[in-house]
Amino acid sequence: EPLRQATAQGPECFARATMPDLKLEIYDGEALTDTVPVTKDLTLLGRALDVDLRVEHASTSRKHAQITRDNFGQYFLTDLKSSQGTHLNGSKIAPNEPQPLFDGATFRLGASARVYKAVLG
């Protein structure tokens, strides 16, 4: 019976273990200023003190956007009805509509010049 339990749990554990990791490279203009690992299934971005990735810019909402990871390891970026919007690969995304976040994708929050680049690996 212990063998059956391990086998039943094996595929889920294997799938979780093989999910790609996400890092955000943060650029100010052309200069890479920081690299931040995204380790949670839901990561909040914004100006509030209780978010996972704090962005201190006047045009950034308290809870501006979120990055989520589904059970298959796919990452998504969602604008949380921010007042100044979220731009993914140069285009403004609609609020509350998760957009796939692929390797090399870039996004900006509000009018901030800071660019976040998704690095999967």
Side-chain angles (χ1 to χ4, degrees):
E1 187 173 327
L3 181 59
R4 259 188 252 136
Q5 281 183 330
T7 306
Q9 293 175 354
E12 182 180 310
C13 294
F14 178 76
R16 262 293 183 207
T18 59
M19 285 185 185
D21 292 326
L22 173 65
K23 289 184 281 188
L24 295 178
E25 292 181 348
I26 304 172
Y27 291 87
D28 191 356
E30 297 292 318
L32 176 64
T33 60
D34 203 358
T35 301
V36 178
V38 176
T39 58
K40 298 166 60 176
D41 289 337
L42 191 153
T43 301
L44 283 172
L45 298 88
R47 275 189 305 120
L49 296 176
D50 62 343
V51 298
D52 302 299
L53 182 55
R54 195 139 183 261
V55 180
E56 295 186 42
H57 190 274
S59 70
T60 304
S61 298
R62 288 186 302 276
K63 293 191 177 166
H64 193 103
Q66 69 184 17
I67 296 172
T68 53
R69 178 175 57 194
D70 68 14
N71 290 333
F72 301 102
Q74 173 66 54
Y75 290 90
F76 295 89
L77 176 67
T78 306
D79 179 85
L80 299 176
K81 292 187 177 180
S82 66
S83 57
Q84 298 293 320
T86 301
H87 291 78
L88 177 61
N89 295 323
S91 298
K92 189 172 183 178
I93 61 175
N96 293 327
E97 292 185 17
Q99 300 296 313
L101 196 56
F102 297 107
D103 186 48
T106 59
F107 64 92
R108 283 187 310 103
L109 304 178
S112 172
R114 188 171 289 168
V115 173
Y116 300 85
K117 181 179 178 182
V119 179
L120 292 169

